[in-house]
């Protein structure tokens, strides 16, 4: 298969509200993002992925979309979005945006029309309205059905402000085809598909999880793939959460999505056997399909990797978030540096969540009255939710808002982040930012798409070579290990001990 940009890309995830504020209102926006494009180019990423930038009441951080053909006014305008796409392309950076096909906002024109039209109307057939509620539970907690004034109930797998579309309705299919064309025509290079496996519902099978991975969902993406192939090198990336790699891989068949997030790798504990198994299973399921793997350490829904890797249990599970569990941040920082080199050395694409390159920890102590994730109220104020990984980035200076903007950020930044700003790390040869820049530069020349060859090693060591001759070793054991024969050390996540690799350290050799 010929090499294309997305097969081995380093893709940087931007959560727009928290990236950079250009107008001083405390919320990130397109003006701030455009001003920081040189930073992303200097970092060395190939593409940038933005979480939803559409008009939204922000009941769920923008994933409650009111209009797919415009930009949230807090972020800017459609004209600014088009300028951003053009400016990113001038710097050699591709642009990927989110589409949320499972649900809309309750403020969307379609849903407001459905409410006004009443029971039995064509407008209500675009959603799931019933005379009696079902027993499904919302992923955010509480019931998945909400009653409207005329007595009917509507389905929302997430918050009540996010009514689910009815994907048996041809109008829904046509609407999203039109939306995809709208953005492809404006130069967007890729679409990340939110909650990709839950679109189709089976209410009659008696399955309490009858909205996950229904067979008909694959027909949706076959239609999308045919549409994308009318354009030049456009791609779809699926958010697909399955522990079963075979089930996951079905979404990557040649007539469906191009790639999907590898959450199995993200959820792995810092354990050599578990990581080796995840890597091997990923390669085994992707290679026969001709699909490149992706390697993900964190995102806007997951506790930051520095904090996770410093906990006693380093795995990740949405159902057991372990918010506020104590973490040895020094240990987590060391392991996250090693994990970065591991992820970037593996064949395929790699995703970097904003702030990962700065070594930011999770912010666990946000006051309850400042939290904005709907998980917090929906759980009866017992689950803090995802705000801790969404705190605005620290760019410069010695105190908040750390160059994020001139106003007070929408979530509070820790005072201790004065040592983690991009400015403070830029000239520090030992910083996380320098490690990422150096690794991405080497990766561009020597790594990316392809295969790997495992090397014999101790059980607690991951060791493999790539086609370019680069060898990656990661020591997850309790004792230093001897380096194999090599000519040069290209990069190490921490200081070496002569010819030995310390614990929780990774190295690239040539």
């Amino acid at each position: 298969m010929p090499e294309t940009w997305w097969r081995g890309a380093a893709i940087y995830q931007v959560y727009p509200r928290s990236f950079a504020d250009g107008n001083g209102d405390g919320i990130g926006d397109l003006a701030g993002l455009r001003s920081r494009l040189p930073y992303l180019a200097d970092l060395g990423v190939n593409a940038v992925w933005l979480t939803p930038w559409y008009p939204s009441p922000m009941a769920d951080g923008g994933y409650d979309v009111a209009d797919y053909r415009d930009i949230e006014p807090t972020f800017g305008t459609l004209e600014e979005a088009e300028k951003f796409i053009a400016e990113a392309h001038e710097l050699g950076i591709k642009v990927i945006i989110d589409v949320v096909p499972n649900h809309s906002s309750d403020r969307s024109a379609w849903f407001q029309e459905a409410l006004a039209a009443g029971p039995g109307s064509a407008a209500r057939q675009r959603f799931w309205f019933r005379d009696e509620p079902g027993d499904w539970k919302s992923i955010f907690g509480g019931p998945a059905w909400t009653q409207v004034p005329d007595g009917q109930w509507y389905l929302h797998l997430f918050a009540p402000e996010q009514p689910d579309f009815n994907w048996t309705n041809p109008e829904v299919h046509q609407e999203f085809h039109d939306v995809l064309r709208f953005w492809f025509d404006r130069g967007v290079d890729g679409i990340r598909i939110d909650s990709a496996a839950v679109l189709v519902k089976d209410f009659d099978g008696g399955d309490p999880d009858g909205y996950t991975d229904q067979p008909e969902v694959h027909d949706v993406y076959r239609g999308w793939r045919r549409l994308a192939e009318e354009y030049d090198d456009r791609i779809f990336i699926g958010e697909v959460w399955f522990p079963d790699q075979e089930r996951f891989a079905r979404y990557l068949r040649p007539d469906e999505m191009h790639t999907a997030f590898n959450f199995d790798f993200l959820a792995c504990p810092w354990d050599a056997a578990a990581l080796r198994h995840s890597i091997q299973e990923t390669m085994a399921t992707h290679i026969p399909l001709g699909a490149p793997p992706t390697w993900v350490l964190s995102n806007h829904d997951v506790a930051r990797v520095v904090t996770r890797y410093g906990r006693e249990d380093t795995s990740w599970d949405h159902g057991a978030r372990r918010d506020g569990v104590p973490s040895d941040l020094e240990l987590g920082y060391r392991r996250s540096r090693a994990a970065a080199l591991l992820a970037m050395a593996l064949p395929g694409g790699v995703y970097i969540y904003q702030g990962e390159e700065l070594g930011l920890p999770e912010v666990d102590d946000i006051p309850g009255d400042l939290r904005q994730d709907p998980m917090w109220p929906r759980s009866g104020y017992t689950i803090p939710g995802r705000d801790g990984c969404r705190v605005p980035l620290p760019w410069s200076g010695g105190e908040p808002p750390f160059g994020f903007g001139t106003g007070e950020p929408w979530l509070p930044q820790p005072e201790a982040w004065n040592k983690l700003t991009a400015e403070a790390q830029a000239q520090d040869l030992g910083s996380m930012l320098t490690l990422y820049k150096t690794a991405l530069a080497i990766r561009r020349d020597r790594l990316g798409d392809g295969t790997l060859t495992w090397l014999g090693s101790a059980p607690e060591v991951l060791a493999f070579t790539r086609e370019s001759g680069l060898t990656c070793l990661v020591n997850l054991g309790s004792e230093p290990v001897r380096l194999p024969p090599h000519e040069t050390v290209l990069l190490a996540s921490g200081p070496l001990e002569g010819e030995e690799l310390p614990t929780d350290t990774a190295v690239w050799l040539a």
Side-chain angles (χ1 to χ4, degrees), residues 351-377:
Y351 283 78
I352 301 164
Y353 175 50
Q354 65 179 43
E356 202 175 301
E357 81 280 12
L358 301 177
L360 299 183
E362 185 82 353
V363 182
D364 282 327
D365 59 353
I366 299 172
D369 61 342
L370 296 181
R371 291 188 176 276
Q372 301 194 27
D373 191 335
M375 282 188 177
W376 177 235

Short mmCIF file of all heavy atoms in Angstrom, two decimals, residues 351-377:
data_model
loop_
_atom_site.label_atom_id
_atom_site.label_comp_id
_atom_site.label_asym_id
_atom_site.label_seq_id
_atom_site.Cartn_x
_atom_site.Cartn_y
_atom_site.Cartn_z
N TYR A 351 -0.65 9.77 18.60
CA TYR A 351 -1.44 10.93 19.00
C TYR A 351 -0.86 11.54 20.26
O TYR A 351 -0.46 10.83 21.19
CB TYR A 351 -2.90 10.54 19.26
CG TYR A 351 -3.68 10.34 17.99
CD1 TYR A 351 -3.56 9.17 17.26
CD2 TYR A 351 -4.52 11.34 17.50
CE1 TYR A 351 -4.25 8.99 16.07
CE2 TYR A 351 -5.21 11.17 16.32
CZ TYR A 351 -5.08 10.00 15.60
OH TYR A 351 -5.75 9.84 14.42
N ILE A 352 -0.79 12.86 20.28
CA ILE A 352 -0.27 13.61 21.42
C ILE A 352 -1.37 14.55 21.89
O ILE A 352 -1.79 15.44 21.15
CB ILE A 352 0.98 14.42 21.02
CG1 ILE A 352 2.07 13.49 20.50
CG2 ILE A 352 1.48 15.26 22.19
CD1 ILE A 352 3.18 14.22 19.73
N TYR A 353 -1.85 14.35 23.10
CA TYR A 353 -2.87 15.23 23.64
C TYR A 353 -2.21 16.50 24.18
O TYR A 353 -1.18 16.43 24.85
CB TYR A 353 -3.65 14.53 24.75
CG TYR A 353 -4.65 15.40 25.45
CD1 TYR A 353 -5.57 16.17 24.72
CD2 TYR A 353 -4.70 15.47 26.84
CE1 TYR A 353 -6.50 16.98 25.36
CE2 TYR A 353 -5.64 16.28 27.48
CZ TYR A 353 -6.53 17.03 26.75
OH TYR A 353 -7.44 17.84 27.37
N GLN A 354 -2.79 17.65 23.88
CA GLN A 354 -2.19 18.92 24.28
C GLN A 354 -1.76 18.91 25.75
O GLN A 354 -2.51 18.50 26.64
CB GLN A 354 -3.16 20.07 24.02
CG GLN A 354 -4.42 20.05 24.84
CD GLN A 354 -5.34 21.24 24.55
OE1 GLN A 354 -5.54 21.62 23.40
NE2 GLN A 354 -5.90 21.83 25.59
N GLY A 355 -0.53 19.36 25.99
CA GLY A 355 0.01 19.36 27.34
C GLY A 355 0.78 18.11 27.69
O GLY A 355 1.56 18.10 28.64
N GLU A 356 0.59 17.04 26.92
CA GLU A 356 1.37 15.82 27.11
C GLU A 356 2.85 16.12 26.91
O GLU A 356 3.70 15.61 27.63
CB GLU A 356 0.88 14.77 26.12
CG GLU A 356 1.15 13.33 26.46
CD GLU A 356 0.50 12.40 25.45
OE1 GLU A 356 -0.74 12.46 25.29
OE2 GLU A 356 1.24 11.63 24.82
N GLU A 357 3.12 16.98 25.91
CA GLU A 357 4.51 17.33 25.61
C GLU A 357 5.12 18.25 26.67
O GLU A 357 6.34 18.49 26.65
CB GLU A 357 4.59 17.98 24.22
CG GLU A 357 4.23 19.45 24.15
CD GLU A 357 2.74 19.75 24.13
OE1 GLU A 357 1.93 18.82 24.39
OE2 GLU A 357 2.38 20.91 23.84
N LEU A 358 4.30 18.75 27.58
CA LEU A 358 4.80 19.57 28.69
C LEU A 358 4.88 18.78 29.99
O LEU A 358 5.33 19.31 31.02
CB LEU A 358 3.90 20.79 28.89
CG LEU A 358 3.75 21.74 27.70
CD1 LEU A 358 2.76 22.86 28.03
CD2 LEU A 358 5.09 22.31 27.28
N GLY A 359 4.42 17.53 29.98
CA GLY A 359 4.44 16.72 31.18
C GLY A 359 3.44 17.17 32.23
O GLY A 359 3.68 17.03 33.43
N LEU A 360 2.30 17.71 31.78
CA LEU A 360 1.31 18.20 32.74
C LEU A 360 0.66 17.04 33.50
O LEU A 360 0.30 16.02 32.90
CB LEU A 360 0.22 19.00 32.03
CG LEU A 360 0.65 20.25 31.27
CD1 LEU A 360 -0.57 20.95 30.69
CD2 LEU A 360 1.43 21.21 32.17
N PRO A 361 0.48 17.19 34.81
CA PRO A 361 -0.26 16.19 35.57
C PRO A 361 -1.76 16.50 35.56
O PRO A 361 -2.18 17.59 35.15
CB PRO A 361 0.31 16.36 36.99
CG PRO A 361 0.62 17.83 37.07
CD PRO A 361 1.07 18.23 35.67
N GLU A 362 -2.56 15.54 36.00
CA GLU A 362 -3.98 15.75 36.22
C GLU A 362 -4.16 16.77 37.35
O GLU A 362 -3.42 16.77 38.34
CB GLU A 362 -4.64 14.43 36.61
CG GLU A 362 -6.14 14.48 36.75
CD GLU A 362 -6.86 14.36 35.41
OE1 GLU A 362 -6.18 14.37 34.36
OE2 GLU A 362 -8.09 14.24 35.43
N VAL A 363 -5.17 17.64 37.20
CA VAL A 363 -5.49 18.59 38.26
C VAL A 363 -6.67 18.01 39.05
O VAL A 363 -7.81 18.05 38.60
CB VAL A 363 -5.83 19.98 37.70
CG1 VAL A 363 -6.11 20.95 38.85
CG2 VAL A 363 -4.69 20.50 36.85
N ASP A 364 -6.37 17.44 40.21
CA ASP A 364 -7.38 16.72 40.99
C ASP A 364 -8.15 17.60 41.97
O ASP A 364 -9.16 17.17 42.53
CB ASP A 364 -6.72 15.58 41.78
CG ASP A 364 -6.41 14.37 40.91
OD1 ASP A 364 -7.17 14.11 39.96
OD2 ASP A 364 -5.40 13.69 41.18
N ASP A 365 -7.65 18.81 42.21
CA ASP A 365 -8.22 19.61 43.29
C ASP A 365 -9.05 20.80 42.81
O ASP A 365 -9.11 21.83 43.48
CB ASP A 365 -7.11 20.09 44.24
CG ASP A 365 -6.06 20.94 43.53
OD1 ASP A 365 -6.12 21.05 42.28
OD2 ASP A 365 -5.18 21.48 44.22
N ILE A 366 -9.68 20.68 41.65
CA ILE A 366 -10.57 21.75 41.18
C ILE A 366 -11.76 21.83 42.13
O ILE A 366 -12.42 20.82 42.40
CB ILE A 366 -11.05 21.47 39.75
CG1 ILE A 366 -9.87 21.42 38.78
CG2 ILE A 366 -12.04 22.54 39.29
CD1 ILE A 366 -10.24 20.96 37.38
N PRO A 367 -12.08 23.01 42.67
CA PRO A 367 -13.24 23.13 43.56
C PRO A 367 -14.53 22.68 42.87
O PRO A 367 -14.72 22.89 41.67
CB PRO A 367 -13.27 24.63 43.88
CG PRO A 367 -11.87 25.10 43.66
CD PRO A 367 -11.35 24.28 42.52
N GLY A 368 -15.39 22.06 43.65
CA GLY A 368 -16.63 21.52 43.09
C GLY A 368 -17.47 22.55 42.37
O GLY A 368 -18.09 22.26 41.35
N ASP A 369 -17.49 23.79 42.89
CA ASP A 369 -18.34 24.81 42.27
C ASP A 369 -17.78 25.34 40.96
O ASP A 369 -18.45 26.09 40.25
CB ASP A 369 -18.58 25.96 43.24
CG ASP A 369 -17.30 26.67 43.65
OD1 ASP A 369 -16.20 26.09 43.48
OD2 ASP A 369 -17.38 27.81 44.15
N LEU A 370 -16.54 24.95 40.62
CA LEU A 370 -15.93 25.38 39.36
C LEU A 370 -15.92 24.26 38.31
O LEU A 370 -15.60 24.51 37.14
CB LEU A 370 -14.49 25.86 39.60
CG LEU A 370 -14.34 27.11 40.47
CD1 LEU A 370 -12.86 27.48 40.61
CD2 LEU A 370 -15.13 28.28 39.89
N ARG A 371 -16.25 23.05 38.72
CA ARG A 371 -16.25 21.93 37.77
C ARG A 371 -17.39 22.09 36.76
O ARG A 371 -18.48 22.53 37.11
CB ARG A 371 -16.38 20.59 38.51
CG ARG A 371 -15.15 20.25 39.32
CD ARG A 371 -15.20 18.84 39.89
NE ARG A 371 -13.97 18.52 40.58
CZ ARG A 371 -12.86 18.06 40.00
NH1 ARG A 371 -12.86 17.86 38.69
NH2 ARG A 371 -11.78 17.80 40.69
N GLN A 372 -17.11 21.70 35.50
CA GLN A 372 -18.09 21.90 34.45
C GLN A 372 -18.48 20.62 33.70
O GLN A 372 -19.38 20.65 32.87
CB GLN A 372 -17.58 22.95 33.45
CG GLN A 372 -17.31 24.29 34.12
CD GLN A 372 -17.12 25.40 33.13
OE1 GLN A 372 -17.63 25.37 32.01
NE2 GLN A 372 -16.37 26.42 33.53
N ASP A 373 -17.80 19.52 33.97
CA ASP A 373 -18.13 18.26 33.31
C ASP A 373 -19.50 17.78 33.80
O ASP A 373 -19.74 17.70 35.01
CB ASP A 373 -17.06 17.22 33.64
CG ASP A 373 -17.18 15.96 32.79
OD1 ASP A 373 -18.29 15.66 32.31
OD2 ASP A 373 -16.16 15.28 32.62
N PRO A 374 -20.42 17.42 32.88
CA PRO A 374 -21.74 16.93 33.32
C PRO A 374 -21.67 15.65 34.15
O PRO A 374 -22.63 15.32 34.84
CB PRO A 374 -22.49 16.72 32.01
CG PRO A 374 -21.46 16.64 30.94
CD PRO A 374 -20.33 17.51 31.40
N MET A 375 -20.55 14.93 34.08
CA MET A 375 -20.41 13.74 34.93
C MET A 375 -20.54 14.11 36.42
O MET A 375 -21.03 13.32 37.22
CB MET A 375 -19.05 13.07 34.72
CG MET A 375 -18.93 12.23 33.48
SD MET A 375 -17.37 11.34 33.48
CE MET A 375 -17.53 10.38 31.98
N TRP A 376 -20.10 15.30 36.79
CA TRP A 376 -20.09 15.74 38.18
C TRP A 376 -21.51 15.82 38.75
O TRP A 376 -21.84 15.11 39.70
CB TRP A 376 -19.32 17.05 38.27
CG TRP A 376 -19.22 17.75 39.58
CD1 TRP A 376 -19.57 19.05 39.85
CD2 TRP A 376 -18.69 17.25 40.82
NE1 TRP A 376 -19.31 19.37 41.15
CE2 TRP A 376 -18.77 18.28 41.78
CE3 TRP A 376 -18.17 16.02 41.21
CZ2 TRP A 376 -18.35 18.14 43.10
CZ3 TRP A 376 -17.76 15.86 42.53
CH2 TRP A 376 -17.84 16.91 43.45
N PRO A 377 -22.40 16.63 38.16
CA PRO A 377 -23.78 16.66 38.71
C PRO A 377 -24.56 15.38 38.45
O PRO A 377 -25.37 14.95 39.27
CB PRO A 377 -24.41 17.87 38.03
CG PRO A 377 -23.62 18.07 36.77
CD PRO A 377 -22.23 17.64 37.10
#
